[in-house]
Amino acid sequence: RKPKSSSAAAAAAAPLAAVDNGPAGNEFSAVTSTDTPHYPQVARRTTHKKKKVLLLCSRGVTSSNIELLEDLLKLMPHSKKDSKFDKRELLSTLKEIAQLVGCHYCMYFEARKMKDLYMWVANVETGPAIKFLVQQIKPMSDLRLTGNCLLGSRPMLVFDAAFDDAPELKLMRAMLQQVFSIPKGHPRSKPF
């Protein structure tokens, strides 16, 4: 072994000497800044942005509407489900609910007269809210797909060329891409 140099031994003994020479009532008053260890920074294992989507529906939805909501929950692992929302309340309370849960986006399914289903898509923090009329609902259970290899996979959205022309269609495309895109590296998503 290498013998310790006298300066390293003196530096190691200096804090101990300062503690031993302190007043009787306050033994630890002379702790220096060299005593704190420097730990290396640890990198995060996940690289995904904490983007969450709140999914909820109104009261009075039919069973096929609930199946649609459950299918969306299966397809989007970054989504959170909340209890049913009362239609008599203001839509601005959805923003408060989403912020309490920690979600950036909200999808709200509103049923009217047990016939029509409307889907509200909103950016809770800054953005607009868009209202869609949902037609021809086909739940995944009717397709009789075997296996669950697509659960948590990253879906691919395809838009028509008309979405490049009008500014309101560009906004709709951007909103749907933000809501349905699963963050890369999300713990519950598949790598493909």
Side-chain angles (χ1 to χ4, degrees):
R1 285 206 273 169
K2 278 180 146 180
K4 287 186 178 180
S5 65
S6 62
S7 62
L16 296 175
V19 170
D20 291 338
N21 293 336
N26 193 0
E27 295 177 357
F28 299 105
S29 62
V31 176
T32 62
S33 64
T34 60
D35 293 341
T36 58
H38 295 286
Y39 297 108
Q41 277 190 326
V42 178
R44 288 181 57 194
R45 289 185 182 204
T46 59
T47 58
H48 78 282
K49 296 177 183 175
K50 297 199 182 233
K51 177 182 78 169
K52 297 177 193 167
V53 179
L54 178 68
L55 287 173
L56 70 159
C57 61
S58 66
R59 298 197 183 276
V61 293
T62 60
S63 61
S64 62
N65 298 344
I66 292 174
E67 287 179 5
L68 172 68
L69 184 70
E70 290 173 356
D71 290 342
L72 285 173
L73 282 169
K74 288 178 186 176
L75 287 176
M76 298 189 305
H78 63 291
S79 63
K80 285 193 166 200
K81 184 180 177 184
D82 201 45
S83 60
K84 292 185 178 178
F85 184 73
D86 194 7
K87 288 188 278 189
R88 290 174 284 185
E89 292 186 32
L90 295 174
L91 287 176
S92 60
T93 56
L94 284 174
K95 178 180 179 179
E96 296 172 7
I97 293 171
Q99 287 177 345
L100 286 174
V101 179
C103 296
H104 298 293
Y105 302 100
C106 179
M107 287 180 69
Y108 170 59
F109 292 94
E110 180 183 6
R112 291 191 184 165
K113 298 182 182 178
M114 302 287 284
K115 292 180 183 177
D116 298 330
L117 181 69
Y118 293 96
M119 179 178 73
W120 289 84
V121 178
N123 185 345
V124 175
E125 295 174 346
T126 59
I130 303 171
K131 182 178 179 181
F132 297 98
L133 175 65
V134 180
Q135 295 177 338
Q136 297 179 355
I137 298 172
K138 291 282 185 187
M140 288 186 343
S141 61
D142 290 350
L143 298 176
R144 291 184 175 82
L145 296 173
T146 59
N148 60 356
C149 62
L150 293 179
L151 289 178
S153 63
R154 304 187 67 191
M156 182 174 65
L157 294 174
V158 179
F159 293 96
D160 191 10
F163 280 89
D164 293 331
D165 298 335
E168 62 271 3
L169 293 177
K170 285 183 183 179
L171 178 66
M172 284 185 206
R173 182 184 65 188
M175 283 288 295
L176 291 175
Q177 283 176 345
Q178 290 169 2
V179 168
F180 284 103
S181 65
I182 298 170
K184 188 173 183 179
H186 193 277
R188 293 191 318 184
S189 69
K190 303 289 187 292
F192 48 86

